[in-house]
């Protein structure tokens, strides 16, 4: 039974005089407010926050939560997002006293355990990437991209070179060109071949001494390994440019191949994808970056270093790095996410990480082998950790769009894949099962998809049918935006 | 305005150029074909009055829920008036693209480039081609 | 392996279905010469029990606000977090879901985000809020970039030295590759120097970035500064402490155009600096320049009220290099925590928290002032933090000694302000008790005995 309370807003549940938290009495001599703060600084009214009791807060959010699909409750093959199982032990360990309640400006001396953890994490990420220098500071993948491009810009400035372009493939995540722009670069798009790889001729035609960085996602967003990557790197390096690896798809290659070994100079990790950090309804992530030794001096400050003393090793934050680009965020980094990543990495060890990649790729190929018989996968005889099917034929023949399939899948109790990305595939359906799903789940998903394709067109156009709401009017939402609660706006 | 009497850019803008000589004021808008292809427009950004444009310069932006497109000036000149009611009433673009859906009036500064614009028949052929 | 389903039998059957000879053969598209033909050199795998033991040992080597009395602030605060916040945020349906790309199965997240936006608007007096940015520092920088976009002024931005030094460092980093100049306005008395400020304002000033209460805990004359800023055609960007808004005037009322904040105080633990919550709200006119995701209200095909992600054309996945920002993953879980915190507190609760911070900070400040060794560095009114000048100029030693006694006494300021190297910043939240404050002051009094001042 759906609780109707769930869809009322907190501010609609509000009743004057109700409250959740009660604070302690003031235990210091209380002074008149005006004696402490002149009137002109004080609010004349309290903010209109909801007045609700603690049980109401709990019931409200508990009910709201049931309106979400999540990894804990549903198969969630959202391509490019690596929605793998989020281990519960990591949640518990990251909440330990001594980890969750330490202040960012405590002395290094008072934080030797935590700094050791981050130091070891830096080393582990260096080993996985094959790139010697690591910064844990960036707050998310896109933030890592930006930080790394700033590193590249600083490097070229030091070399006395003025390179103003960043190349990105047309299949790249939108964050790539957006990050390039934020760093003052002009973003230039490189075409893909019909097979889904970087078009070498187009790359060569755009590659010159003004190109600072070529950003490549490998495996790419079609789930294919850019087999030319070494040649690409060689050509870019020959013109003095750098290779950036968008690490969104690292799950496919952990322990199999390393970005540093296939020519990347810089990369970011997405610990909330690859290393099982929960996605939190939108975040947080973290975006540690790894770069070659020659670029290491330019990384954001601080980084954790280990000093050996007669009393044993001492871990400390190092700020004195004259070539550093500076800070890209406040404090050390998204530590809570990094601690979870560390726990995940220690749980697996080297051999275990390789098995993660193997099973992610096995699961994706198995699902591909079932799906491709009834839904075209334009670039896919085989794949890495994900593949991109296309509903273009379905749309042309029967008017069934990728979005219709996505919406109908919800009725069958699975989250939809990513649709309409990458932009290079018409009616794209990007499916990433991850390694933490069973063969039965994959079989079940393939069977549902197979069944849906034969369902009546009208049924699909109006799907989903079983959810509380169906096909919200996005046009109305964008034309006349209502972005906050206003009074007298009751639920219908 | 009748679509047959207008001229068109390859980028799907129309322009109406009055016949009388002198201080010539062109009216520009987006073709019905383009409005349909863009589907469910939600936002339109008008150019600023006073802006000087060359033929092919960005004049403004239209957005649907999940796409953004620039539109370009089919003529060179100065923007002297914009249809300021349009952003709040985007339906006009679909209902009456060549009338109440006009976007801007531009005082022509250079008429030499007008020859590159298509007539209605040529534009129709272009649309037919793009539809395939 | 703990999280994998596939048994060797499963793997064999799946490979057969694929038509592939072995797992290794699945990777045939990776050229042989690029493969890593050795195991990764990582620490050996640990089971849950060993890992728990290991993390327990590491955690035990850290002081924390549980094992010490924490008077550290400077942008991260030891506020109380009601259990309901942890309860809600630890529901898997919230923390193991992602960005609500499919609105029908994300109504919980979308509604929670809409409520968050509503509460942030109430709190700040602004018209529109996004769903969060990374942290207070990056939010401040995004606001500056947004101001440049809105005003189409790219010449300079004015930043008060009383803005968090790390936020200013981030701004410097972001602006390195852009032509915009940062004009820094000094704060010799703890608040903005008004003459210097007036001189700095120019016709190519995109915005003024200031903090209220500022980094030193002092209150700036925001209303007058807002008027001057607007007279110059620039936008006012204010960094606020959300807890302070239980008492202090809302930025929308004194003329802020964009409000940003570190939302950590609202129900997020300190966890060594992140993940936190970048709050950002602005006036309605700027909504299409706002970075980050936004939830909007609409109706579904049956006419039922519901929520969707809206105005997405601002974002990188659509507009790519023309997007308002490159942000994708945000801090949704911490926006949720902030919402639950604000709902649990309610208007009166938030006022009480702010009041306790104010009273206790005042008590601590006065107690210190009674010691010969210390004087308040600035006279301006403060909220929950204040700067003390150590007449003995032994800040570092004092902090080391206090730490040994289980007191995290304050943040030394010399690292950012050489002229304040004899100063420390002390924060007092509602969690500190009178006896903890007294212990701190007693400890300092004891520590001061028989020590010759280093400067008079």
């Amino acid at each position: 039974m759906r609780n109707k309370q769930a869809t009322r807003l907190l501010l609609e549940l509000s009743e004057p005089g109700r409250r959740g938290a009660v604070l302690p009495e003031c235990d210091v001599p209380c002074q008149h407010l005006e004696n402490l703060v002149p009137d002109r600084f004080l609010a004349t009214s309290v903010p209109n926050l909801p007045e609700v009791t603690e049980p109401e807060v709990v019931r409200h959010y508990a009910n709201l939560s049931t309106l979400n699909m999540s990894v804990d409750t549903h198969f969630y093959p959202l391509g490019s997002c690596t929605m793998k199982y989020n281990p519960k032990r990591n949640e518990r360990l990251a909440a330990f006293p001594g980890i969750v309640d330490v202040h960012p400006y405590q002395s290094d001396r008072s934080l030797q355990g935590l700094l050791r953890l981050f130091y070891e994490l830096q080393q582990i990420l260096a080993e996985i990437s094959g790139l010697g220098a690591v910064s844990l500071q960036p707050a998310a993948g896109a933030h890592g991209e930006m930080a790394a491009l700033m590193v590249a810009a600083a490097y070229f400035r030091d070399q006395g070179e003025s390179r103003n372009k960043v190349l990105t493939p047309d299949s790249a995540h939108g964050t790539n060109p957006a990050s390039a722009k934020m760093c003052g670069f002009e973003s230039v798009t490189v075409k893909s071949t019909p097979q889904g790889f970087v078009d070498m001729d187009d790359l060569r035609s755009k590659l010159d001494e003004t190109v600072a960085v070529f950003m490549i996602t490998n495996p790419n967003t079609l789930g294919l390994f850019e087999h030319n990557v070494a040649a690409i790197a060689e050509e870019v390096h020959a013109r003095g440019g750098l290779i950036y690896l968008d690490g969104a798809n690292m799950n496919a290659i952990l322990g199999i191949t390393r970005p540093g070994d296939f020519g990347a100079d810089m990369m970011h990790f997405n610990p909330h994808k690859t290393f099982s950090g929960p996605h939190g309804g939108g975040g947080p992530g973290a975006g540690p970056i790894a770069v070659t030794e020659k670029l290491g001096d330019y990384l954001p400050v601080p980084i954790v270093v280990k000093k050996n003393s007669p009393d044993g090793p001492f871990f400390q934050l190092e700020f004195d790095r004259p070539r550093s680009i500076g800070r890209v965020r406040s404090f050390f980094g998204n530590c809570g996410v990094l601690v979870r990543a560390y726990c995940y990495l220690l749980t697996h060890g080297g051999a275990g990480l390789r098995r993660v990649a193997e099973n992610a790729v096995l699961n994706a190929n198995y699902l591909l082998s079932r799906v491709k018989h009834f839904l075209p996968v334009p670039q896919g005889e085989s794949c890495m950790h994900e593949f991109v099917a296309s509903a273009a034929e379905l749309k042309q023949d029967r008017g069934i769009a990728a979005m219709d399939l996505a919406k109908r899948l919800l009725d069958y109790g699975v989250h939809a894949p990513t649709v309409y990305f990458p932009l290079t595939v018409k009616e794209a359906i990007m499916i990433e099962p991850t390694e933490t799903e069973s063969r039965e789940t994959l079989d079940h998903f393939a069977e549902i998809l197979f069944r849906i394709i034969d369902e009546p067109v009208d049924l699909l156009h109006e799907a989903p049918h079983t959810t509380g709401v169906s096909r919200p009017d996005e046009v109305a939402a964008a034309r006349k935006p209502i972005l906050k609660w206003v009074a007298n706006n009751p639920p219908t | 305005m009748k679509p047959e009497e207008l001229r068109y850019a390859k980028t799907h803008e129309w322009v109406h150029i009055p016949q009388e000589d002198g201080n010539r004021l062109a009216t520009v808008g987006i073709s019905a074909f383009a409005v349909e292809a863009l589907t469910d427009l939600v936002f339109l950004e008008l150019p600023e009055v006073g802006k000087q444009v060359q033929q092919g310069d960005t004049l403004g932006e239209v957005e649907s829920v999940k796409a953004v497109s620039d539109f370009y000036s089919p003529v060179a000149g100065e923007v002297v008036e914009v249809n300021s009611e349009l952003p709040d009433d985007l339906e006009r673009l679909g209902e009456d693209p060549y009338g109440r859906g006009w976007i801007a009036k531009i005082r022509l500064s250079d008429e030499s480039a007008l020859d590159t614009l298509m007539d209605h028949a040529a534009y129709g052929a272009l649309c037919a081609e793009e539809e395939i | 392996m703990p999280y994998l389903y596939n048994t060797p039998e499963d793997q064999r059957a799946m490979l057969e279905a694929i038509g592939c000879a072995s797992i290794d053969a699945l990777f045939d598209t990776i050229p042989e010469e690029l493969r890593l033909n050795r195991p990764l050199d990582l620490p050996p795998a640990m089971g849950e029990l060993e890992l728990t033991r290991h993390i327990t040992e590491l955690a035990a080597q850290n002081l924390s606000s549980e094992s010490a009395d924490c008077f550290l602030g400077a942008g991260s605060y030891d506020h109380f977090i009601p259990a309901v916040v942890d309860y809600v945020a630890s529901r898997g349906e919230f923390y193991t879901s992602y960005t609500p790309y499919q609105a029908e199965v994300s109504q919980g997240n979308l509604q929670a985000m809409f409520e968050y936006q509503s509460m942030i608007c109430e709190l700040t007096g602004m018209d529109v809020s996004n769903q969060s940015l990374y942290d207070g520092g990056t939010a401040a920088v995004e606001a500056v970039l947004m101001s440049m976009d809105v005003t189409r002024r790219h010449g300079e931005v004015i930043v008060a030295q009383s803005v968090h030094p790390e936020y200013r460092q981030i701004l410097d980093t972001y602006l390195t590759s852009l032509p915009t100049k940062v004009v820094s306005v000094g704060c010799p008395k703890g608040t903005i120097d008004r003459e210097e400020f007036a001189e700095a304002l120019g016709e190519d000033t995109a915005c003024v970035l200031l903090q209220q209460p500022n980094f030193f805990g002092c209150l700036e004359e925001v209303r007058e500064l807002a008027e001057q800023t607007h007279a110059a055609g620039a936008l006012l960007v204010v960094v606020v402490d959300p807890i302070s808004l239980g008492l202090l005037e809302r930025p929308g009322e004194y003329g802020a155009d964009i409000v940003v904040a570190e939302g950590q105080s609202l129900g997020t633990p300190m966890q060594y600096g992140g993940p936190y919550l970048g709050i950002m709200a602005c006036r309605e006119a700027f909504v299409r320049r706002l970075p980050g995701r936004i939830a909007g209200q609409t109706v579904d095909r049956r006419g039922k009220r519901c929520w969707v992600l809206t105005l997405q054309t601002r974002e990188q996945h659509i507009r790519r290099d023309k997007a308002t920002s490159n942000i994708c993953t945000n801090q949704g879980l911490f926006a949720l925590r902030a919402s639950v915190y604000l709902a649990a507190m309610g208007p009166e609760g938030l006022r009480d928290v702010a009041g306790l911070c104010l009273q206790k900070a005042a008590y601590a400040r006065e107690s210190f002032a009674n010691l010969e060794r210390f004087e308040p560095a600035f006279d301006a009114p403060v909220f929950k933090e204040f700067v003390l000048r150590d007449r003995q100029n032994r800040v570092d030693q004092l902090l080391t000694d206090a730490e040994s006694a289980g007191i995290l006494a304050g943040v030394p300021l010399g690292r950012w302000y050489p002229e304040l190297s004899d100063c420390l910043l002390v924060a007092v939240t509602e969690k500190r008790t009178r006896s903890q404050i007294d212990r701190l002051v007693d400890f300092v009094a004891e520590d001061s005995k028989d020590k010759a001042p280093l400067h008079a």
Side-chain angles (χ1 to χ4, degrees):
Chain A
M1 293 299 289
R2 189 73 76 196
N3 186 339
K4 282 190 177 165
Q5 291 279 14
T7 53
R8 289 180 65 192
L9 291 164
L10 271 173
L11 278 155
E12 292 162 354
L13 298 170
S14 183
E15 289 293 338
R18 288 195 183 146
R19 62 189 290 176
V22 176
L23 278 297
E25 288 294 313
C26 188
D27 61 354
V28 299
C30 235
Q31 306 186 44
H32 279 297
L33 201 52
E34 304 76 50
N35 294 348
L36 297 175
V37 179
D39 251 2
R40 64 183 184 282
F41 295 112
L42 293 172
T44 49
S45 62
V46 289
N48 180 26
L49 296 171
E51 297 183 71
V52 287
T53 62
E54 180 171 321
E56 268 177 302
V57 173
V58 168
R59 188 167 291 167
H60 176 74
Y61 283 105
N63 274 310
L64 273 191
S65 78
T66 64
L67 307 180
N68 289 340
M69 278 190 178
S70 67
V71 173
D72 276 2
T73 54
H74 296 83
F75 180 44
Y76 210 128
L78 189 66
S80 206
C81 298
T82 315
M83 301 298 287
K84 62 169 76 175
Y85 170 67
N86 307 126
K88 303 310 161 192
R89 69 189 65 169
N90 299 352
E91 296 305 305
R92 179 199 276 179
L93 297 171
F96 272 8
I99 297 209
V100 78
D101 56 357
V102 302
H103 190 280
Y105 291 141
Q106 281 180 230
S107 70
D108 294 348
R109 199 178 41 252
S110 74
L111 290 170
Q112 283 300 292
L114 197 59
L115 293 178
R116 174 192 290 269
L117 185 159
F118 292 136
Y119 179 78
E120 288 178 5
L121 182 58
Q122 287 173 184
Q123 291 197 302
I124 292 170
L125 297 181
E127 167 66 4
I128 295 172
S129 62
L131 295 164
V134 172
S135 163
L136 301 178
Q137 189 173 99
H143 202 220
E145 285 172 15
M146 193 194 67
L149 290 176
M150 287 172 172
V151 164
Y155 167 76
F156 287 119
R157 266 197 304 277
D158 263 13
Q159 303 295 306
E161 295 188 54
S162 55
R163 293 172 179 257
N164 63 346
K165 284 188 199 138
V166 166
L167 306 185
T168 58
D170 53 10
S171 59
H173 298 110
T175 52
N176 290 185
S179 298
K181 169 76 182 317
M182 288 189 82
C183 298
F185 289 111
E186 180 191 340
S187 163
V188 178
T189 305
V190 176
K191 284 190 201 130
S192 299
T193 63
Q195 293 75 37
F197 297 104
V198 172
D199 182 329
M200 294 298 283
D201 291 333
D202 195 51
L203 172 64
R204 283 186 195 111
S205 74
K206 288 164 181 166
L207 194 57
D208 59 25
E209 272 65 33
T210 65
V211 172
V213 179
F214 180 56
M215 300 179 86
I216 187 168
T217 308
N218 197 19
N220 66 23
T221 57
L222 292 163
L224 307 174
F225 192 87
E226 295 274 358
H227 50 83
N228 276 333
V229 66
I232 291 171
E234 203 169 304
E235 297 207 18
V236 171
H237 288 151
R239 308 302 289 267
L242 297 172
I243 296 284
Y244 181 82
L245 178 91
D246 179 330
N249 296 338
M250 279 301 285
N251 212 40
I253 57 171
L254 294 169
I256 309 273
T257 177
R258 306 191 304 172
D261 297 344
F262 59 67
D265 301 286
M266 315 179 280
M267 70 167 291
H268 76 258
F269 286 93
N270 292 106
H272 56 299
K273 298 178 182 178
T274 316
F275 305 138
S276 77
H279 287 63
I289 52 176
V291 301
T292 54
E293 302 280 357
K294 77 170 175 187
L295 298 172
D297 286 350
Y298 300 93
L299 287 173
V301 282
I303 61 166
V304 184
V305 296
K306 179 179 173 183
K307 305 274 176 180
N308 287 309
S309 77
D311 305 333
F314 184 79
F315 298 91
Q316 67 184 60
L317 297 182
E318 190 171 85
F319 288 92
D320 186 19
R321 300 170 62 83
R323 287 172 195 261
S324 165
I325 58 165
R327 277 192 168 278
V328 293
R329 56 157 292 158
S330 45
F331 310 121
F332 182 77
N334 273 0
C335 305
V337 179
L338 299 170
V339 169
R340 286 168 175 82
Y342 176 81
C343 292
Y344 181 83
L345 290 162
L346 288 201
T347 300
H348 285 82
L353 274 192
R354 187 185 165 101
R355 278 199 290 281
V356 165
E358 288 174 351
N359 284 284
V361 173
L362 177 64
N363 278 2
N365 275 285
Y366 178 70
L367 193 53
L368 169 63
S369 77
R370 299 215 45 181
V371 167
K372 68 183 176 189
H373 300 299
F374 55 85
L375 195 62
V377 180
Q379 284 91 5
E381 271 314 295
S382 70
C383 66
M384 298 297 284
H385 64 299
E386 66 189 356
F387 61 91
V388 181
S390 168
E393 278 179 30
L394 264 182
K395 189 172 182 199
Q396 194 164 351
D397 297 348
R398 296 181 53 216
I400 299 171
M403 189 59 87
D404 299 325
L405 298 179
K407 294 297 183 196
R408 185 62 178 148
L409 280 167
L410 308 177
D411 280 331
Y412 286 90
V414 296
H415 196 281
T418 297
V419 287
Y420 301 106
F421 183 81
L423 310 176
T424 49
V425 176
K426 282 187 183 161
E427 297 293 323
I429 302 170
M430 186 188 213
I431 303 171
E432 181 179 16
T434 83
E435 74 282 7
T436 61
E437 296 295 339
S438 68
R439 188 180 149 201
E440 301 87 80
T441 299
L442 306 181
D443 284 337
H444 181 59
F445 177 79
E447 282 152 21
I448 295 168
L449 200 52
F450 180 69
R451 193 185 313 171
I452 287 174
I453 282 170
D454 271 339
E455 287 185 327
V457 173
D458 291 345
L459 188 74
L460 297 189
H461 284 170
E462 295 202 336
H465 301 271
T466 58
T467 48
V469 304
S470 176
R471 303 260 178 169
D473 187 343
E474 296 187 60
V475 175
R479 274 191 186 168
K480 299 267 185 274
I482 302 172
L483 308 179
K484 64 175 179 181
W485 177 79
V486 283
N488 306 317
N489 176 24
T492 45
Chain B
M1 276 168 267
K2 290 183 186 161
E4 294 78 15
E5 294 164 2
L6 305 174
R7 307 182 79 172
Y8 299 86
K10 279 183 190 147
T11 45
H12 303 287
E13 296 82 13
W14 58 261
V15 55
H16 174 258
I17 298 159
Q19 291 309 306
E20 65 271 21
D21 285 336
N23 221 355
R24 298 236 274 172
L25 207 56
T27 306
V28 304
I30 307 173
S31 78
F33 176 83
V35 171
E36 192 173 334
L38 290 165
T39 67
D40 291 334
L41 293 175
V42 298
F43 182 71
L44 179 136
E45 190 171 75
L46 294 167
E48 279 178 34
V49 172
K51 181 178 174 153
Q52 298 283 345
V53 288
Q54 295 300 312
Q55 189 180 36
D57 281 359
T58 302
L59 202 55
E61 238 177 37
V62 280
E63 297 182 7
S64 60
V65 171
K66 283 177 183 156
V68 186
S69 312
D70 285 333
F71 55 88
Y72 306 94
S73 183
V75 295
E78 181 190 348
V79 178
V80 293
E81 194 185 341
V82 294
N83 187 353
S84 51
E85 289 170 14
L86 191 57
D88 292 324
D89 189 10
L90 291 172
E91 278 81 3
R92 291 182 184 191
L93 278 173
E95 291 162 3
D96 191 9
Y98 305 111
R100 292 187 309 127
W102 69 276
I103 291 176
K105 295 190 177 171
I106 296 175
R107 181 169 292 126
L108 299 179
S109 62
D110 173 9
E111 303 196 10
S112 63
L114 294 180
D115 298 345
T116 62
L117 297 172
M118 287 171 277
D119 64 16
H120 185 250
Y123 179 65
L126 175 86
C127 293
E129 211 170 281
E130 284 194 9
E131 217 151 16
I132 295 165
Chain C
M1 287 317 297
Y3 316 128
L4 300 177
Y5 285 85
N6 296 333
T7 62
E9 290 69 39
D10 286 326
Q11 293 183 338
R12 264 195 296 280
M14 291 164 81
L15 285 168
E16 198 173 311
I18 296 165
C20 195
S22 67
I23 295 234
D24 274 353
L26 291 171
F27 294 93
D28 276 351
T29 55
I30 303 181
E32 184 59 39
E33 66 275 15
L34 302 182
R35 310 259 194 107
L36 179 71
N37 290 311
R38 61 165 176 85
L40 286 170
D41 183 14
L42 262 50
M46 291 184 185
E48 183 171 357
L49 179 57
E50 303 95 294
L51 182 65
T52 303
R53 198 177 290 139
H54 177 61
I55 300 293
T56 304
E57 281 168 15
L58 290 178
Q61 295 169 33
N62 307 322
L63 272 187
S64 73
S65 64
E66 192 172 274
S67 58
D69 298 346
C70 182
F71 292 91
L72 306 181
S76 173
Y77 300 95
D78 184 27
H79 286 290
F80 181 69
I81 302 171
V84 285
V85 177
D86 286 333
Y87 163 74
V88 171
S90 65
R91 283 191 70 102
E93 299 92 331
F94 282 125
Y95 84 86
T96 75
S97 55
Y98 200 22
T99 306
Y101 296 116
Q102 295 295 336
E104 289 92 339
V105 291
S106 312
Q107 283 298 303
N109 280 326
L110 283 162
Q111 185 176 330
M113 287 305 109
F114 183 81
E115 293 179 328
Y116 165 82
Q117 292 168 197
S118 302
M119 286 192 263
I120 294 300
C121 289
E122 289 296 341
L123 201 58
T124 57
M126 288 282 113
D127 302 321
V128 198
S129 161
N130 70 10
Q131 285 185 12
S132 71
L133 299 172
Y134 305 133
D135 65 355
T138 55
V141 174
E142 290 276 9
V144 169
L145 298 176
M146 184 177 150
S147 304
M148 288 156 48
D149 199 20
V150 167
T151 58
R152 300 184 190 186
R153 292 178 175 190
H154 295 269
E156 60 184 44
V157 295
I158 295 179
V159 181
Q161 279 179 15
S162 55
V163 170
H164 196 303
E166 290 193 354
Y167 297 8
R168 290 184 283 127
Q169 289 169 353
I170 305 163
L171 182 63
D172 288 341
T173 307
Y174 273 60
L175 291 184
T176 301
S177 305
L178 305 178
T180 310
K181 204 173 76 178
V182 177
V183 179
S184 184
V185 173
C187 305
K189 293 183 177 160
T191 54
I192 293 171
D193 183 309
R194 303 293 298 281
E195 258 175 51
E196 201 182 327
F197 176 74
E199 275 168 34
L201 276 171
E203 61 185 21
D204 207 17
T205 305
C207 70
V208 171
L209 176 66
L210 56 82
Q211 186 169 340
Q212 178 79 334
N214 70 23
F215 181 70
F216 306 123
C218 301
L219 298 176
E220 301 276 6
E221 297 292 344
V222 277
R223 195 173 275 279
E224 292 168 27
L225 291 163
E227 280 167 19
Q228 282 173 281
T229 302
H230 291 152
L235 300 189
L236 183 67
V237 180
V238 184
V239 182
V240 296
D241 171 357
I243 295 287
S244 75
L245 297 175
L247 280 179
L248 300 183
E249 188 178 25
R250 301 191 297 170
E253 283 161 16
Y254 57 72
D257 297 294
I258 307 174
V259 177
V260 294
E262 176 49 74
Q264 178 267 333
S265 293
L266 305 176
T268 290
M270 297 188 291
Q271 46 190 348
Y272 199 54
Y276 283 177
L277 169 67
I279 292 173
M280 187 176 207
C282 69
R283 300 200 179 277
E284 181 144 32
F286 313 145
V287 62
R288 284 178 186 275
R289 312 282 176 192
L290 189 65
R293 304 203 192 280
I294 303 176
Q297 180 179 315
T298 188
V299 291
D300 78 343
R301 67 178 168 85
R302 306 175 187 117
K304 185 176 173 189
R305 182 177 73 171
C306 61
W307 288 273
V308 291
L309 289 178
T310 194
L311 304 181
Q312 291 188 70
T313 47
R314 299 165 298 111
E315 297 184 58
Q316 46 76 28
H317 62 286
I318 293 176
R319 207 182 283 251
R320 301 176 81 86
D321 59 330
K322 290 186 180 133
T324 50
S325 165
N326 67 340
I327 191 169
C328 179
T329 299
N330 60 23
Q331 304 293 111
L333 193 65
F334 298 94
L336 176 70
R337 291 185 76 99
S339 305
V340 181
Y341 178 88
L342 288 170
M345 286 295 159
E348 294 305 325
L350 190 68
R351 193 183 158 83
D352 289 350
V353 175
L356 286 170
C357 292
L358 179 75
Q359 294 290 349
K360 292 182 182 216
Y363 173 75
R365 189 174 183 231
E366 283 159 23
S367 305
F368 271 107
N370 290 335
L371 301 178
E372 200 169 308
R373 178 173 172 182
F374 290 97
E375 61 177 350
F378 307 119
D379 296 330
V382 301
F383 172 57
K384 70 180 181 196
E385 263 175 310
F386 53 90
V387 178
L388 286 177
R389 173 163 281 122
D390 175 6
R391 293 189 172 112
Q392 292 182 1
N393 193 14
R394 294 189 310 111
V395 169
D396 286 344
Q397 189 59 49
L398 170 71
L399 295 178
T400 305
D401 293 347
E403 188 182 288
S404 307
I407 303 173
L408 302 167
V411 176
L413 294 182
R415 70 172 101 167
W416 300 298
Y417 302 92
E419 70 279 15
L420 300 178
S421 61
D422 55 350
C423 292
L424 72 158
L425 182 66
V426 179
V428 190
T429 69
E430 79 285 4
K431 271 178 81 174
R432 298 289 76 81
T433 61
R434 179 175 185 165
S435 68
Q436 287 175 325
I437 298 170
D438 290 344
R439 188 165 95 90
L440 168 66
V441 175
D442 291 347
F443 176 85
V444 172
E446 194 62 31
D447 187 76
S448 312
K449 284 182 187 164
D450 307 324
K451 303 271 167 61
L454 293 183
H455 71 143

